Amino acid sequence: MLVVVSGSKDSMALWDVLAKEGYNVVAMYINLGIGEYSNKSQDVVKNFAKKNNLPLIVKNIKEEFGLDIYKLSKSLKRSPCSVCGTIKRYLFNKVAYDNGFSVIATGHNIVLFQPPSDLYTAARVFAILLNSLSVDFVT
């Protein structure tokens, strides 16, 4: 299973839980070239992989495509968010296909998917989950 991680609490928690539950997971981090943020996120992901002896694939947008997200968006005359999303999905699929993965997992904030009336419960569940993990996060 390929688990795509960003260094944020959501994807790191997913990676941690899948690994602890015994799934055969390989993580992929995509360095988007967003200044120090991308480098800090990559360090968090690499440190977690090393600490837990987990396999990690790192892709770098500038190395893959010759330009960072902002320069690509200018040359394509598209918004940075549009270019970023398209490139990430492309790399998700390419890496999965090239390496024989049949499943791609990504982490998203569970609070976003809860109805407003249940926001308190979702926040408590998420806090309990985070307290049970030994993961560093980019905030």
Side-chain angles (χ1 to χ4, degrees):
M1 174 186 314
L2 180 66
V3 59
V4 183
V5 296
S6 65
S8 71
K9 60 188 175 289
D10 306 313
S11 63
M12 297 301 287
L14 176 65
W15 187 13
D16 189 51
V17 168
L18 289 172
K20 285 180 178 173
E21 289 296 318
Y23 289 93
N24 182 16
V25 294
V26 174
M28 176 177 68
Y29 173 76
I30 302 172
N31 186 314
L32 301 170
I34 304 173
E36 194 56 34
Y37 175 80
S38 290
N39 296 330
K40 183 179 177 184
S41 298
Q42 183 171 324
D43 288 344
V44 167
V45 171
K46 281 185 162 184
N47 289 337
F48 179 81
K50 184 177 180 179
K51 176 182 171 185
N52 295 283
N53 197 31
L54 295 169
L56 172 65
I57 298 168
V58 176
K59 294 292 183 179
N60 185 299
I61 297 295
K62 190 171 184 177
E63 291 173 10
E64 296 285 323
F65 299 99
L67 299 170
D68 64 26
I69 288 294
Y70 298 112
K71 290 179 182 171
L72 279 170
S73 71
K74 284 182 182 180
S75 70
L76 296 171
K77 297 181 176 138
R78 306 277 306 205
S79 74
C81 292
S82 172
V83 172
C84 182
T86 302
I87 287 174
K88 287 192 298 187
R89 284 188 300 278
Y90 167 78
L91 286 173
F92 294 178
N93 290 318
K94 181 175 182 357
V95 169
Y97 180 81
D98 290 349
N99 293 280
F101 295 107
S102 59
V103 175
I104 302 172
T106 63
H108 297 281
N109 192 325
I110 63 171
V111 174
L112 294 176
F113 301 105
Q114 296 297 320
S117 64
D118 201 24
L119 205 53
Y120 177 76
T121 302
R124 286 192 63 215
V125 168
F126 197 61
I128 291 166
L129 173 64
L130 288 180
N131 285 333
S132 71
L133 303 175
S134 57
V135 180
D136 294 324
F137 305 111
V138 174
T139 55

